[in-house]
Amino acid sequence: MKGKRSRTGPRIPLVLALTLVAGLGATAPAAADDPAYPFRDPRLSVDRRVDDLLSRLTLDEKVSLLHQWQPAIPRLGIQAFKTGTEALHGVAWLGEATVFPQAVGLASTWDPALIRRVGSAVGDETRGFQQERPPGWGLNLWAPVVNPLRDPRWGRNEEGYSEDPYLTSSMATAYGTGLTGGDPGHLKTAPTLKHFLGNNNEVDRTTTSSDLRPRVLKEYEEQAFRPTIEADAATGVMSSYNLVNGRPATVDPALDDVRTWTSRDLLNVTDAYAPNNLTGTGSQRYYDTLAEGNAAALKAGIDSFTTDDTNSVPTTTAVKSALADGLLEESDVDSAAGHILDVRVRLGEFDPGGGKYGAIDKSVVNSPAHRKLARKAAADAAVLLKNSGGALPLKASAKDVAVVGPLADTLYTDWYSGTLPYAVTPKAGIAARLGAPVTGSEGVDRISLRNTESGAYVTAGTDADGEALKESAGDGTAAQFDVFDWGAGIVTLRSAANGKYVGYNWSDFVNDQVQPGGWFVQQQFALEEQDDGTYLLRYAGYETREPWWSNPVYLGPAGPDGTLGLVGRAEAAHYAKDVVRSGTEEAVAAVRGKDAAVVVVGSMPAINGRENDDREDMGLAPSQEALVEAVRKANPHTVVVVENSYPTTLGALREKVPALLWTTHAGQETGNAVADVLFGDVNPAGRLTQTWYRSEADLPSILEYDNIKYDRTYQYFKGDPLYEFGYGLSYSSFRYGKVQRVDGGYEVAVTNTGSRAGDEVVQLYTHQRLSRDKQPLKQLKAFERVPLKPGETRTVRLKLRERDLAHWDVTRSKWVVESGTYDVLVGASSEDIRSRTSLKVAGEKIPARDLTRTTRAENFDDYEGVRLVDESKARGTAVGASRDGAWLKFADARPVSGRAEFTARVAGAAGKVEVRLGSPSGTLVGTAAVAGTGSVYSYAEVSASLSAAVKGRQDVYLVLGDGMRLSTFTLG
């Protein structure tokens, strides 16, 4: 198989090894690090070095390489190696390092060259830690995330790039090329693409199955991953937690198919603890034992098991058991170990001095050049959503500015963020730009909570580490809390006594956190108003949503000293919420009479959607909207900065304020970047990488993956978006000339007709007018971010080849470019088309379906009431009926003459398969009785004579009974 080396144990016999050594001018290796060992000789090919090293390892040593934490092999002078350093937008979890904008923000630059520079900086900083090798460090990076963002409610939206697979792969290739260094033979780092495949929901993420019909799989999901692998901008993929078409992604044979996309070896890894999900005690229960699961994963294309933290014993024991039981051959272990060693060789681990990048030291971490790059990336990513009446940029005369809002003077980090070496908040950035202090207010209420029965107040500790919350007679700041409303009824409480957030520590509620965070975000509460005007304080930490949570969730005195603990609702304390200071009133006072008011609202990334938690509400917190409205009324010169990680519905706010700027949580330089854009030092040119919908009602269930049938993303959405894909404003204006076809694509003249320099993001879309199959309304095919001086015209060339117009033909399971007319649309967004032309293509015509040949059921044209399921545990996709009357449509079938018979492979429940023409209730021409097979993996052949010939080209429908599975069929 292309890209997959077949290894069957020792590949270099001793005599040959000595011959190789002799050829290098030595008689025999004297020490493990002697360059006479072929695997340590950089003059040899990677394959030869890997084969040599593999031949020197015992079976136990090879098995030891298959866990995330690979031990040292002292007898060969080999150091320990770990897969998986997080580097999504900077090096994470190793200490202070440059923090760049979140991934969705990086993509909003629409600037692959810039993103490659960011990737290179992150790669350098990863290398920068190599001299000290802190715990958790390694050169195999788990980044970037390339799951296309088909649903903006996905909790991990911040981690991806775009809803469009082409834009996603463009950004992933750029970032990955920066991480690798651009020389796949000598890797700076080894990036791993996450999460393969169909991973776009967090709810029940290890048990839900993503149904990927062939067109969705080929045209959408794979197209986000494949170009980056083909470009050698990544060295492997991570399997996702979910199931794909009924089979856990951890054992999906597509993992091995990925190797056909490149001639380089790939190192594929599992997601954390995913191997354990496969077993009879795990969530998926796909195999009885870990040995069976690990064997299946290795055979499917996994090389490294991420599980049990640093404890490799369960993995190595299971693999050895699988070998002993005949579930694996030693060649399977050799293959996986060889992939791992190939990447380690290319990383320079066995080269003198650590190879090409071995001398990089910690001086690169958070270097001045990287800080400057972080500021540029954050500014270039900002998207100007609205600018009415020239509200922005702020005038030079705007010297007296107020900056208010819950995110005005703080920077939050997300789960995969690095540790901020410093934090420039929006307020600080604007103050630095003005060279003078600015007035500010977080705009949040400060409250006290008084038990209406006892009169005691909830109080917190005053020292830096905080203390357990209790009810006492105390007052002052010890009994005061700032309430941050993040929407969906969730608030956080920051103690006025020490400025720390209150959280649960599995025992007490303590004010000891700098910001909400952790895997279980335990700083979440809900103030539930009762009919009598009192409030119950409910604990809403993430773990309360877990099925194993059995504790009560309300707060009340639980100790003799009044310490607050978890009690049942009936025992919950009723509190009067006394407002000590109104955040809105304070903000209004701060902005009144100022030259301009900047309101910074948005999300707390540990709360408003993140890993293991999808969003249900796409709007801003109601109190934040109310704050903006109050500030606007107090000062008409109000601009709003929305700082969050995803599309937001924005409510009426969009209509009322004169200017809106969107940014992700953009890292350490957020404030400077915001100031750069607001004051016009940077002309905004960020563009949205997702559709911003007006309402959740515009979207189907987050569990529905069929973009084509359910009109998902800008490609198929027929509604009126709040902001379309590719949207973004500028302080300049741009004129487009006529788009012209040239060799290899199209070109268009673009002129900056404004008075200041700025970048325009020129976007090229295509649309196929007529097709056998449902086609996208528009599809991005090329783009370029173009800098233009005032009055400057540039001719922009955009690459487009006829083969780029192909889609997946389910009738023949191949890519096809159909003959016909294609619209070529060039403009500033998917809706703002400035110039268009058409292209006549002499491709091919998809012939009528030949159902006399064996047809796979999954290659339907339409369906209702079915799920895609695993044909067997090892491979293949079948169709399973989830209700009686479920149906599959096979459009435009060729006539079937003479005495025809319907034959099908079926499994599962007893029932019948009906063959109908024209519709699910159309002419019945045959019925095959199904006795039931007793197992969903045991298939039987059933048949039925057709009562009438299929005359002319017709749509054939197969109607199934509940619980039946259909693999293949013929009409012949």
Side-chain angles (χ1 to χ4, degrees):
M1 180 179 292
K2 180 183 178 185
K4 183 179 180 181
R5 192 179 288 109
S6 175
R7 296 190 170 96
T8 56
R11 293 292 303 277
I12 303 179
L14 178 60
V15 173
L16 177 56
L18 291 175
T19 302
L20 289 172
V21 170
L24 295 174
T27 57
D33 60 352
D34 193 313
Y37 274 101
F39 76 82
R40 292 195 178 277
D41 186 354
R43 294 173 298 176
L44 299 179
S45 70
V46 174
D47 282 359
R48 212 161 139 196
R49 296 174 72 184
V50 172
D51 286 342
D52 174 69
L53 178 51
L54 194 63
S55 74
R56 299 177 188 280
L57 299 176
T58 67
L59 178 58
D60 281 353
E61 287 169 339
K62 288 183 287 189
V63 170
S64 76
L65 300 178
L66 306 186
H67 188 264
Q68 178 187 19
W69 295 82
Q70 302 170 29
I73 304 175
R75 70 182 185 84
L76 293 175
I78 295 174
Q79 295 189 81
F81 184 87
K82 170 185 169 285
T83 61
T85 294
E86 300 292 354
L88 184 60
H89 53 108
V91 183
W93 306 357
L94 298 180
E96 292 183 357
T98 308
V99 178
F100 293 93
Q102 292 175 314
V104 71
L106 292 176
S108 300
T109 66
W110 290 61
D111 189 345
L114 174 63
I115 302 314
R116 179 170 179 168
R117 289 173 57 197
V118 172
S120 182
V122 176
D124 285 344
E125 295 202 9
T126 305
R127 282 281 182 173
F129 287 99
Q130 68 186 339
Q131 311 302 337
E132 59 187 51
R133 296 169 65 97
W137 172 84
L139 292 176
N140 173 241
L141 305 185
W142 287 352
V145 171
V146 298
N147 299 108
L149 304 177
R150 65 178 184 101
D151 194 309
R153 297 167 298 187
W154 185 35
R156 304 181 74 167
N157 194 84
E158 68 202 33
E159 298 181 35
Y161 290 128
S162 170
E163 70 182 31
D164 181 80
Y166 174 72
L167 182 57
T168 293
S169 65
S170 298
M171 293 300 161
T173 299
Y175 192 66
T177 301
L179 291 174
T180 65
D183 177 0
H186 299 85
L187 298 169
K188 184 188 296 184
T189 65
T192 303
L193 303 183
K194 300 184 346 182
H195 310 81
F196 192 82
L197 189 66
N199 180 203
N200 224 196
N201 64 274
E202 297 303 293
V203 58
D204 300 328
R205 63 181 180 165
T206 68
T207 56
T208 56
S209 179
S210 304
D211 284 8
L212 304 180
R213 60 192 279 198
R215 282 194 65 196
V216 174
L217 172 66
K218 295 294 184 180
E219 297 175 24
Y220 191 70
E221 293 287 342
E222 281 189 2
Q223 290 310 303
F225 287 83
R226 183 165 185 155
T228 305
I229 296 291
E230 288 180 333
D232 291 323
T235 58
V237 300
M238 172 190 281
S239 61
S240 53
Y241 282 123
N242 54 283
L243 293 79
V244 176
N245 297 345
R247 181 181 297 107
T250 310
V251 293
D252 189 338
L255 289 162
D256 212 25
D257 296 341
V258 170
R259 301 188 196 280
T260 66
W261 299 347
T262 176
S263 61
R264 298 281 180 178
D265 260 12
L266 300 178
L267 193 176
N268 294 337
V269 306
T270 74
D271 209 334
Y273 280 82
N276 294 352
N277 292 336
L278 292 169
T279 68
T281 58
S283 59
Q284 294 167 340
R285 296 177 174 83
Y286 205 66
Y287 298 99
D288 291 333
T289 67
L290 189 60
E292 291 176 280
N294 282 6
L298 283 169
K299 286 182 174 294
I302 288 294
D303 305 306
S304 177
F305 294 88
T306 312
T307 187
D308 303 306
D309 296 323
T310 60
N311 180 14
S312 65
V313 173
T315 293
T316 56
T317 300
V319 171
K320 291 174 185 177
S321 177
L323 287 164
D325 293 342
L327 300 173
L328 289 173
E329 302 292 335
E330 186 172 352
S331 59
D332 296 312
V333 175
D334 289 342
S335 181
H339 298 146
I340 294 166
L341 293 176
D342 183 283
V343 170
R344 292 178 66 171
V345 167
R346 287 190 280 149
L347 284 167
E349 179 180 344
F350 309 121
D351 291 358
K356 182 176 181 180
Y357 301 102
I360 296 177
D361 61 28
K362 204 170 181 180
S363 63
V364 301
V365 178
N366 192 39
S367 66
H370 292 178
R371 294 195 291 269
K372 183 178 179 180
L373 182 62
R375 181 170 180 167
K376 176 174 175 56
D380 285 1
V383 181
L384 184 61
L385 299 176
K386 183 180 181 181
N387 193 21
S388 177
L392 289 176
L394 295 175
K395 305 297 186 289
S397 58
K399 301 294 186 183
D400 192 5
V401 178
V403 186
V404 301
L407 284 87
D409 204 24
T410 190
L411 294 186
Y412 289 118
T413 55
D414 60 62
W415 177 249
Y416 288 106
S417 173
T419 303
L420 294 171
Y422 59 87
V424 182
T425 68
K427 180 184 174 186
I430 291 171
R433 173 61 174 74
L434 292 173
V438 298
T439 304
S441 166
E442 290 176 307
V444 300
D445 289 345
R446 178 166 289 184
I447 68 168
S448 62
L449 296 170
R450 175 173 47 84
N451 188 316
T452 56
E453 182 177 346
S454 67
Y457 285 88
V458 176
T459 59
T462 58
D463 61 7
D465 295 330
E467 295 175 11
L469 265 62
K470 62 179 62 175
E471 289 188 1
S472 68
D475 55 12
T477 58
Q480 296 175 7
F481 301 89
D482 298 324
V483 182
F484 290 80
D485 176 14
W486 300 114
I490 299 299
V491 301
T492 53
L493 302 173
R494 188 181 64 193
S495 171
N498 67 353
K500 299 288 185 67
Y501 286 86
V502 175
Y504 183 54
N505 64 8
W506 304 104
S507 176
D508 296 311
F509 291 92
V510 183
N511 56 318
D512 62 351
Q513 297 297 306
V514 174
Q515 75 167 55
W519 181 254
F520 295 115
V521 183
Q522 298 177 304
Q523 295 79 36
Q524 299 182 88
F525 299 89
L527 285 165
E528 297 182 348
E529 187 172 10
Q530 305 301 295
D531 291 341
D532 61 0
T534 65
Y535 290 84
L536 303 184
L537 184 56
R538 177 169 62 85
Y539 173 55
Y542 274 167
E543 70 271 28
T544 64
R545 307 175 202 180
E546 296 288 335
W548 48 260
W549 179 267
S550 59
N551 295 336
V553 294
Y554 288 91
L555 272 67
D561 62 349
T563 299
L564 293 184
L566 291 169
V567 298
R569 194 176 195 281
E571 293 79 39
H574 285 246
Y575 293 109
K577 185 180 74 172
D578 299 328
V579 177
V580 178
R581 183 189 66 207
S582 166
T584 299
E585 291 178 4
E586 183 181 73
V588 165
V591 305
R592 187 170 283 125
K594 302 298 183 183
D595 296 334
V598 178
V599 191
V600 190
V601 294
S603 70
M604 199 283 129
I607 292 173
N608 297 100
R610 53 152 280 181
E611 184 170 0
N612 214 27
D613 185 54
D614 293 318
R615 285 194 300 158
E616 297 177 5
D617 183 347
M618 288 169 39
L620 281 177
S623 66
Q624 293 189 24
E625 283 199 43
L627 173 68
V628 170
E629 175 63 4
V631 169
R632 184 195 66 83
K633 287 181 178 179
N635 189 325
H637 305 295
T638 293
V639 298
V640 176
V641 178
V642 179
E643 184 182 335
N644 62 17
S645 314
Y646 34 67
T648 306
T649 52
L650 293 181
L653 179 150
R654 173 176 177 261
E655 303 298 329
K656 295 180 179 179
V657 298
L660 274 169
L661 181 73
W662 177 76
T663 175
T664 58
H665 297 280
Q668 62 203 51
E669 287 286 344
T670 298
N672 284 331
V674 167
D676 288 342
V677 174
L678 293 182
F679 285 92
D681 299 322
V682 170
N683 192 342
R687 301 292 185 263
L688 298 179
T689 68
Q690 294 176 266
T691 302
W692 283 40
Y693 298 96
R694 293 181 181 274
S695 167
E696 292 86 349
D698 289 331
L699 293 163
S701 164
I702 196 172
L703 299 179
E704 180 49 70
Y705 276 73
D706 191 342
N707 294 354
I708 300 172
K709 185 176 180 69
Y710 291 96
D711 296 332
R712 276 191 182 279
T713 79
Y714 82 95
Q715 292 188 2
Y716 294 98
F717 181 60
K718 298 173 183 175
D720 179 25
L722 185 69
Y723 297 112
E724 71 270 15
F725 174 82
Y727 174 85
L729 302 177
S730 170
Y731 297 151
S732 299
S733 55
F734 301 93
R735 183 178 66 243
Y736 284 65
K738 182 175 177 57
V739 61
Q740 304 278 356
R741 189 176 186 186
V742 295
D743 185 35
Y746 289 83
E747 65 181 21
V748 62
V750 181
T751 303
N752 183 347
T753 56
S755 60
R756 62 174 67 220
D759 293 0
E760 173 68 330
V761 179
V762 182
Q763 304 164 41
L764 184 149
Y765 299 85
T766 62
H767 168 68
Q768 185 174 347
R769 291 184 185 176
L770 294 174
S771 172
R772 177 198 182 276
D773 301 308
K774 181 177 179 180
Q775 291 295 329
L777 303 171
K778 292 187 184 74
Q779 197 167 8
L780 181 71
K781 296 296 183 181
F783 64 90
E784 186 173 344
R785 181 164 172 154
V786 185
L788 292 165
K789 299 174 183 177
E792 181 184 4
T793 298
R794 284 185 57 184
T795 298
V796 181
R797 178 164 290 197
L798 299 161
K799 185 178 179 181
L800 181 70
R801 303 158 299 183
E802 285 193 0
R803 67 174 178 267
D804 296 331
L805 302 172
H807 77 278
W808 189 255
D809 173 20
V810 293
T811 72
R812 296 172 295 171
S813 295
K814 58 176 282 190
W815 291 99
V816 59
V817 178
E818 290 183 280
S819 296
T821 301
Y822 294 75
D823 294 316
V824 179
L825 314 166
V826 176
S829 78
S830 59
E831 297 292 329
D832 187 5
I833 301 301
R834 306 290 186 87
S835 184
R836 65 180 66 216
T837 187
S838 61
L839 172 66
K840 292 189 181 297
V841 174
E844 60 179 302
K845 180 178 176 61
I846 298 176
R849 276 188 182 271
D850 183 1
L851 297 182
T852 65
R853 304 174 64 180
T854 299
T855 298
R856 295 203 62 82
E858 65 180 308
N859 285 325
F860 49 72
D861 289 292
D862 199 3
Y863 61 95
E864 200 67 60
V866 302
R867 297 297 307 271
L868 293 172
V869 293
D870 48 341
E871 184 175 6
S872 72
K873 287 192 174 184
R875 63 185 62 254
T877 297
V879 176
S882 52
R883 62 170 173 80
D884 281 331
W887 55 264
L888 301 172
K889 175 184 178 181
F890 298 87
D892 191 31
R894 287 173 51 183
V896 179
S897 59
R899 291 184 65 182
E901 186 173 65
F902 168 72
T903 304
R905 286 185 73 241
V906 296
K912 61 183 179 180
V913 182
E914 296 179 343
V915 183
R916 293 182 177 271
L917 303 180
S919 76
S921 58
T923 303
L924 177 65
V925 296
T927 302
V930 179
T933 65
S935 167
V936 295
Y937 300 123
S938 296
Y939 284 84
E941 186 173 286
V942 299
S943 61
S945 296
L946 301 188
S947 60
V950 180
K951 297 179 180 179
R953 292 167 67 162
Q954 298 204 40
D955 296 341
V956 174
Y957 286 78
L958 301 183
V959 183
L960 311 175
D962 187 20
M964 295 175 54
R965 289 188 171 197
L966 175 64
S967 170
T968 60
F969 72 95
T970 59
L971 285 178

